[in-house]
Amino acid sequence: MENLQLIIPELFISIMIMFLLIFGVFKKNSSQLVYNLTTVSLVAALALIINLDSQIQSSLFNNSYNIDNLARFMKILLILSGIFVMLSSSKYIQISKISKIEYPILILCSILGMMVMISSNDLIVFYMGLELQSLALYVLASFNRDNLLSTESGLKYFVLSALSSGLLLYGCSLIYGFSETTNFNQIMVNTKEIEYGLTFGIVFILVGLAFKISAVPFHMWAPDVYQGSPTSVTVFFALLPKIAALTVFIRFLYIPFYELGDQWQMIIIFLSIASMVFGAVAAIGQKNLKRLIAYSSISHMGYALAGLSTGTTQGVQSSITYITIYLVMNLAFFSCLFMLKRNDEYYENIDDLSGLSKNHPLLSLSLLIVLFSLAGIPPLAGFFAKFYIFVAVINEKMYFLAIVGLLATVIAAFYYLRIIKIIYFDPEKEKFESKHNLGLKFTLVASTFFILAYFIYPSGIVDIISQININ
Amino acid sequence: MNFPILSSLILLPTIGALFIFFVRSSNSQYQSSKYVALFITLANFFLSLYLWIVFDKSIVDFQFVEEREWISGFVNYKVGVDGISILFILLTTFISPICVITVNATIKNRLKDFLIAILILETFMIGVFCSLDLVVFYLFFEAGLIPMFLIIGIWGGERRVYSAFKFFLYTLLGSVLMLVAIISIYWITGTTDVIKLYELGIDAKYQNLLWLAFFSSFAVKTPMWPVHTWLPDAHVEAPTAGSVLLAAILLKMAGYGFIRFSLGLFPDASLYFVPLVYTLSLIAIIYTSLVALMQEDMKKLIAYSSVAHMGFVTLGIFTMTQQGIEGSIFQMISHGLVSAALFLCVGVVYDRLHTRLINRYGGLVSIMPKYAIVFMVFTLGALGLPGTSGFIGEFLVLIGAFKKNILVATIASLGVILGAAYMLWLYKRIIFGKLINEDVKKMVDLKRFEIVTLWLLVLPIIFFGFYPEPLINSIEVSVANMIDMNDLDKINKLALGE
């Protein structure tokens, strides 16, 4: 019973999923109501998580499910992002005619899967969570089934993701074979010596995880899926799975295989450098904003991995800080994207932004702040995110990684500047609608304010994150 | 002194910007936002003037130091001034209101946004000159890019996009290495507090690489040859106020950085790299002077002359002598005033004829006599005629250089002659000669606000030319202390084998 008390948030979400499914089927035309109820139940889940005694650090269910500071922080982050995604995209799904009862329920399923991933301390539990979130995401990606691009992106994501899941499962089986256990802590005890099979297992799992956070060279799906999916799903893709996958990355590298650091460190460094550089270079030629942000998020994941590659607690904390700030920036960016609407049609090409600043000064100003922050220019939050990463990286004397990372920042600055140029320097086009629903406006204002004002009190988040301790 | 006077200096322009931003105004109220900006910048000027008066010039320590915890356990927000930085703050607060006045004629659209950009930029510039922590310094140093990028890009000329990008990416590329160096310093010494670092010193074995990292940033910003190419582009395309700020203050950040950080933190490395800096400075002085001779665009000519003048600055700093460093600082202040004035002068005729090509003008003396007078003062100031502030700076730098290396000093002196050549030739082609062009004949002489701004700049140029004492007084102790503290004299003598 005690165990169950600690997973009340997860239980609550599971119950809500079943309830909403039944409710939605029996009540006609209830899609909007189900959507709102989903948002409310996310808020309730958030309250339940915050309400849990923060002193408790325990492992449940035969040591396979962790409730610790890391899990708690990441879940709060996850559900907060979920709430904001729901708030900002409600209008979009109505207009895009994808407002069906299944949509919010799938989102809940996927969030439940991610919560399981975040807490997992066992290969089987971890895989279960992963599949739950992935299956929901396959459907979500192709949710706009009349749209060719959306169907394509769903199928593409399914095929590639299934392949990576297969690799991951194979890696799990190898590790089980060589360590005789699936429990993370137990694996650490049982694997004092390096064996080839074990190394292969690590590599397979890392490949699977790298796929989930779209690190180069396992990024191929990201641009197509980002572009093809409905924007409301793209924003979901850009934010939530990253949180879950990064947490698993942290747990996996720092609990069972911490001792084998020299086995995985080079892989992470490679993934990190490749993602930073490729993401920055490939984004330059893009014309579609969603595609561009896909490459940009590839590049950002590279920085988050750079923090992980250090093998220190400080590195992990810097990665968590990075992902937190990344979430806010992307949320703000997508909120802006949701505002580019004219006559019930959404615009997502870079050229559509031309001269935006003349007609929509406030929206352009937010975009300006968000883009400069994504580029990592001080004093905006994006700079601090990178700053913490480099502090951790340089502490480990990994100068090469730091310098490559910073040079990639300069390349990336180019395409962010290009968007700013189009917004501010180019001739104006037709006006967009200026009426938006409250949730969207609130999301944009809150996230932009966070980015802008972060420098006033940077210690706040750092202090919270510094309580997260692995090992 | 409990009142946080430096933080007020930094914050006041931002508060003004926020005020302008939030007060919604229709077109007719555009004027009012201009007066708000003028009021704020003037208030800031008087505040900094007060700071200068209260400032005790005989003490070597940093004064008005404020320290607050910022990123917990890591970086503290720390500001303070010594005799050197206070002059740059004064320069900044003096030039800013002048920029605000000039928007009258030059900025036709989005005046409000322009004023906000200038005010935010002023915040960052003042922040650079008084920050006493490397991270805080970096923050202000880089943040200045954003408003300047927008100023060039939105209100600039035809090739503004190219110039804005070039400006932004060049400077960013230069600066990222400095960030690596700053973080490395933190891990080597355990602090980024400049005062503590002065006391601790940095191990000589790290100094060379760190020096180079800082150098890459400052060299781009100065700009030194061969990374100066962004400057002519940026100057030519920027609106007048942007050019003025760029030439008068943004370039000085690098010179200030050389003194405060390169010399202050890495004395051994500075000495080691003296030949490099000498060479680049001399090339800058001679080569860009020659390039300036060939320019047909007024703003480009002045931009290249800026590079040459900054060559004197870097040369003077790295002579590491009392006179050389004092001369460099003096030269920076003087160049800040003179180049600002020259860009304003270009702006005056550009507003009337909408061209910057030198050969479209000629014979202005007969139709714009008032303009001819002030332009002459600035020309003479730029070429360093005795009696103008330009002379003192170059003279002191050359004294310092002669002390160290006669060959270098001799070559640098040639630069003075070249400087006279291109400036006088520019003056001759614009002001004298025959009035040929019909549209030139229709040009009107200076308007009232132009007279005010230009004479405001004439006064200090001549005053400090005859009586440099107030400036020298202010920096003397700090410079001497910097030389003592780092044993620059001793290191110098060792290097010379005495």
Side-chain angles (χ1 to χ4, degrees):
Chain A
M1 258 334 266
E2 225 165 74
N3 282 356
L4 288 182
Q5 267 172 18
L6 289 172
I7 59 161
I8 282 178
E10 282 90 336
L11 290 178
F12 174 73
I13 290 186
S14 321
I15 292 167
M16 281 314 285
I17 290 171
M18 291 176 242
F19 166 73
L20 287 173
L21 203 52
I22 297 166
F23 177 78
V25 170
F26 281 101
K27 190 162 165 36
K28 295 277 176 240
N29 299 328
S30 59
S31 59
Q32 189 56 38
L33 189 59
V34 172
Y35 191 91
N36 292 341
L37 279 175
T38 309
T39 317
V40 172
S41 53
L42 280 176
V43 175
L46 181 70
L48 288 173
I49 293 177
I50 294 174
N51 192 34
L52 282 179
D53 188 356
S54 63
Q55 299 305 316
I56 297 175
Q57 309 272 346
S58 59
S59 270
L60 321 177
F61 305 117
N62 206 5
N63 206 10
S64 65
Y65 202 80
N66 261 344
I67 301 291
D68 54 6
N69 278 338
L70 177 66
R72 199 170 290 120
F73 182 80
M74 288 310 218
K75 278 180 195 165
I76 291 175
L77 214 54
L78 184 81
I79 294 195
L80 261 180
S81 325
I83 293 168
F84 278 113
V85 168
M86 297 295 279
L87 281 180
S88 59
S89 56
S90 64
K91 190 83 187 166
Y92 178 89
I93 63 164
Q94 279 171 27
I95 288 177
S96 321
K97 301 195 178 61
I98 49 172
S99 179
K100 307 209 169 70
I101 55 154
E102 293 88 349
Y103 183 91
I105 294 172
L106 281 169
I107 282 191
L108 270 187
C109 284
S110 157
I111 288 180
L112 179 64
M114 290 171 197
M115 287 172 80
V116 174
M117 275 170 84
I118 286 172
S119 275
S120 64
N121 195 35
D122 186 290
L123 288 172
I124 304 280
V125 177
F126 148 63
Y127 188 76
M128 216 171 66
L130 182 81
E131 282 306 289
L132 180 56
Q133 67 116 17
S134 302
L135 280 169
L137 286 179
Y138 302 147
V139 186
L140 279 175
S142 50
F143 207 81
N144 194 356
R145 60 176 185 194
D146 300 330
N147 182 323
L148 201 63
L149 277 177
S150 177
T151 326
E152 182 204 329
S153 81
L155 190 64
K156 198 172 252 173
Y157 184 56
F158 172 67
V159 172
L160 288 172
S161 190
L163 179 71
S164 86
S165 294
L167 285 176
L168 206 136
L169 201 55
Y170 187 51
C172 293
S173 69
L174 273 174
I175 288 174
Y176 175 67
F178 281 86
S179 66
E180 299 162 5
T181 174
T182 55
N183 183 284
F184 283 0
N185 299 93
Q186 206 56 42
I187 293 174
M188 182 169 72
V189 179
N190 293 3
T191 57
K192 285 296 174 212
E193 285 169 44
I194 301 164
E195 285 166 278
Y196 279 122
L198 206 60
T199 313
F200 272 104
I202 298 176
V203 172
F204 278 128
I205 292 189
L206 286 185
V207 167
L209 286 176
F211 180 90
K212 301 292 174 204
I213 64 164
S214 68
V216 177
F218 310 103
H219 64 281
M220 270 67 154
W221 60 277
D224 291 333
V225 174
Y226 272 55
Q227 188 185 359
S229 312
T231 313
S232 57
V233 179
T234 311
V235 51
F236 194 78
F237 264 116
L239 304 179
L240 283 80
K242 306 272 198 286
I243 308 174
L246 191 83
T247 319
V248 175
F249 244 117
I250 293 169
R251 277 203 204 284
F252 185 73
L253 295 179
Y254 283 76
I255 297 171
F257 297 113
Y258 186 68
E259 307 280 325
L260 305 183
D262 45 345
Q263 300 287 311
W264 53 258
Q265 194 175 26
M266 279 312 290
I267 300 174
I268 303 290
I269 291 177
F270 171 77
L271 288 176
S272 162
I273 288 182
S275 307
M276 291 189 291
V277 174
F278 181 83
V281 174
I284 290 174
Q286 302 307 322
K287 294 194 173 67
N288 183 294
L289 280 169
K290 278 153 79 180
R291 219 177 161 77
L292 182 127
I293 209 71
Y295 283 110
S296 138
S297 74
I298 291 173
S299 169
H300 281 289
M301 281 307 117
Y303 291 97
L305 285 178
L308 283 190
S309 71
T310 54
T312 56
T313 310
Q314 193 192 17
V316 173
Q317 287 167 356
S318 73
S319 282
I320 297 172
T321 318
Y322 195 91
I323 197 98
T324 313
I325 294 173
Y326 161 87
L327 292 175
V328 182
M329 295 192 295
N330 269 28
L331 198 61
F333 183 84
F334 277 100
S335 309
C336 294
L337 216 52
F338 283 129
M339 292 195 172
L340 303 180
K341 182 180 61 154
R342 196 190 293 139
N343 302 332
D344 283 355
E345 198 183 337
Y346 284 90
Y347 290 80
E348 52 189 45
N349 280 332
I350 297 185
D351 291 336
D352 297 329
L353 291 172
S354 177
L356 189 73
S357 66
K358 300 215 176 74
N359 292 329
H360 304 274
L362 286 177
L363 176 61
S364 327
L365 185 69
S366 325
L367 261 175
L368 177 87
I369 292 168
V370 174
L371 290 167
F372 271 122
S373 176
L374 283 166
I377 307 295
L380 303 168
F383 166 74
F384 289 92
K386 292 206 165 75
F387 181 71
Y388 297 131
I389 293 280
F390 290 121
V391 167
V393 167
I394 292 173
N395 189 22
E396 290 301 297
K397 306 241 175 333
M398 295 150 84
Y399 290 106
F400 181 70
L401 182 60
I403 289 172
V404 171
L406 282 165
L407 292 181
T409 316
V410 180
I411 302 174
F414 175 76
Y415 64 81
Y416 295 121
L417 285 185
R418 198 169 61 106
I419 308 179
I420 293 168
K421 171 220 145 201
I422 287 169
I423 297 173
Y424 273 89
F425 308 169
D426 282 2
E428 64 201 270
K429 282 190 175 173
E430 217 179 317
K431 263 192 168 183
F432 290 103
E433 273 171 37
S434 50
K435 272 195 178 157
H436 305 287
N437 61 330
L438 198 64
L440 181 57
K441 276 192 215 160
F442 174 71
T443 312
L444 180 60
V445 170
S447 49
T448 313
F449 182 76
F450 175 88
I451 295 170
L452 191 61
Y454 182 83
F455 76 95
I456 296 173
Y457 187 62
S459 306
I461 286 186
V462 178
D463 286 346
I464 297 171
I465 289 175
S466 66
Q467 289 165 9
I468 296 173
N469 219 332
I470 319 294
N471 305 334
Chain B
M1 194 70 197
N2 290 323
F3 180 65
I5 186 163
L6 285 175
S7 296
S8 326
L9 270 176
I10 295 175
L11 278 181
L12 200 59
T14 302
I15 294 169
L18 286 178
F19 183 77
I20 295 178
F21 179 74
F22 281 112
V23 174
R24 301 211 160 218
S25 66
S26 55
N27 280 340
S28 60
Q29 280 169 312
Y30 259 28
Q31 282 316 85
S32 68
S33 53
K34 203 182 76 191
Y35 290 122
V36 171
L38 190 62
F39 173 76
I40 292 281
T41 47
L42 278 178
N44 230 16
F45 173 63
F46 287 116
L47 194 60
S48 61
L49 209 58
Y50 168 76
L51 184 76
W52 196 35
I53 293 165
V54 203
F55 181 80
D56 188 344
K57 297 171 182 67
S58 57
I59 300 179
V60 289
D61 294 337
F62 285 91
Q63 297 174 37
F64 306 104
V65 175
E66 296 165 34
E67 191 165 8
R68 233 167 263 124
E69 192 174 45
W70 188 45
I71 305 178
S72 46
F74 181 25
V75 180
N76 285 347
Y77 167 79
K78 190 168 184 181
V79 290
V81 284
D82 68 350
I84 301 172
S85 39
I86 197 165
L87 286 188
F88 289 101
I89 293 174
L90 259 180
L91 181 68
T92 311
T93 53
F94 178 66
I95 296 290
S96 300
I98 291 181
C99 285
V100 173
I101 299 177
T102 62
V103 299
N104 243 356
T106 50
I107 305 301
K108 299 280 186 266
N109 57 346
R110 299 205 210 174
L111 182 67
K112 224 171 96 168
D113 301 350
F114 189 79
L115 293 169
I116 293 173
I118 285 197
L119 287 174
I120 299 274
L121 188 58
E122 189 186 359
T123 287
F124 293 146
M125 292 186 298
I126 297 174
V128 164
F129 292 127
C130 56
S131 48
L132 284 181
D133 186 289
L134 289 173
V135 178
V136 179
F137 170 79
Y138 182 83
L139 204 81
F140 284 122
F141 192 76
E142 284 285 282
L145 292 180
I146 299 176
M148 202 60 212
F149 174 76
L150 295 174
I151 288 177
I152 298 176
I154 299 179
W155 296 276
E158 275 163 28
R159 291 175 69 233
R160 60 209 159 102
V161 174
Y162 171 79
S163 309
F165 271 65
K166 199 170 177 182
F167 161 76
F168 194 97
L169 294 176
Y170 253 72
T171 356
L172 186 64
L173 187 63
S175 311
V176 290
L177 289 177
M178 183 162 79
L179 185 61
V180 176
I182 289 173
I183 299 171
S184 308
I185 289 175
Y186 177 74
W187 290 118
I188 293 168
T189 61
T191 181
T192 51
D193 183 331
V194 176
I195 298 177
K196 276 191 200 143
L197 283 171
Y198 280 166
E199 285 161 11
L200 287 170
I202 294 171
D203 201 330
K205 68 181 175 194
Y206 300 116
Q207 281 194 14
N208 282 1
L209 278 176
L210 293 175
W211 188 92
L212 279 176
F214 274 77
F215 180 73
S216 74
S217 173
F218 296 149
V220 172
K221 199 93 175 182
T222 309
M224 293 177 85
W225 184 88
V227 283
H228 65 282
T229 54
W230 63 270
L231 184 74
D233 285 316
H235 267 322
V236 169
E237 299 306 329
T240 305
S243 296
V244 169
L245 282 177
L246 193 60
I249 301 155
L250 288 181
L251 303 189
K252 308 302 177 287
M253 289 178 180
Y256 173 77
F258 272 129
I259 298 172
R260 173 77 69 231
F261 303 114
S262 297
L263 282 196
L265 297 177
F266 322 117
D268 299 328
S270 297
L271 194 75
Y272 180 80
F273 285 110
V274 159
L276 173 74
V277 179
Y278 277 0
T279 318
L280 294 182
S281 305
L282 286 182
I283 294 177
I285 293 170
I286 302 296
Y287 168 76
T288 50
S289 297
L290 290 173
V291 174
L293 269 174
M294 297 310 299
Q295 296 306 316
E296 292 176 348
D297 182 312
M298 289 195 245
K299 267 191 165 178
K300 254 197 170 138
L301 192 148
I302 300 169
Y304 277 110
S305 84
S306 287
V307 181
H309 281 129
M310 291 310 282
F312 276 103
V313 171
T314 45
L315 181 69
I317 292 171
F318 282 88
T319 59
M320 300 192 215
T321 54
Q322 178 89 23
Q323 292 85 352
I325 298 176
E326 279 178 12
S328 295
I329 297 168
F330 205 95
Q331 171 82 344
M332 281 194 265
I333 302 292
S334 151
H335 177 256
L337 299 170
V338 173
S339 63
L342 284 171
F343 280 116
L344 286 177
C345 284
V346 175
V348 166
V349 287
Y350 180 78
D351 289 338
R352 288 165 174 69
L353 211 57
H354 297 287
T355 176
R356 290 182 299 261
L357 291 181
I358 296 171
N359 57 18
R360 289 276 284 106
Y361 296 91
L364 289 187
V365 66
S366 49
I367 50 165
M368 300 175 74
K370 289 179 198 159
Y371 178 70
I373 293 174
V374 285
F375 195 19
M376 186 180 69
V377 175
F378 300 138
T379 308
L380 297 178
L383 62 86
L385 189 83
T388 61
S389 60
F391 170 72
I392 315 275
E394 279 179 5
F395 183 66
L396 284 173
V397 168
L398 288 176
I399 289 181
F402 268 111
K403 255 184 167 175
K404 280 295 159 61
N405 192 327
I406 293 181
L407 180 68
V408 169
T410 319
I411 299 174
S413 311
L414 288 176
V416 180
I417 302 173
L418 285 172
Y422 61 72
M423 282 317 296
L424 288 176
W425 197 29
L426 171 74
Y427 190 74
K428 186 216 140 213
R429 283 184 290 174
I430 292 179
I431 304 293
F432 299 130
K434 279 186 189 144
L435 254 179
I436 302 167
N437 297 317
E438 279 304 315
D439 46 357
V440 174
K441 284 179 191 160
K442 289 186 199 120
M443 286 168 69
V444 285
D445 209 348
L446 297 180
K447 294 171 198 151
R448 205 173 56 200
F449 78 93
E450 289 167 340
I451 294 177
V452 171
T453 47
L454 291 173
W455 277 95
L456 272 179
L457 286 160
V458 168
L459 291 179
I461 290 173
I462 292 182
F463 178 77
F464 291 127
F466 281 103
Y467 188 63
E469 209 47 31
L471 295 187
I472 300 284
N473 237 340
S474 159
I475 54 182
E476 205 169 16
V477 179
S478 300
V479 172
N481 174 53
M482 175 150 290
I483 290 175
D484 279 0
M485 188 177 59
N486 292 312
D487 296 329
L488 286 178
D489 267 346
K490 205 175 79 196
I491 297 173
N492 275 335
K493 278 177 190 141
L494 281 177
L496 292 172
E498 282 172 25

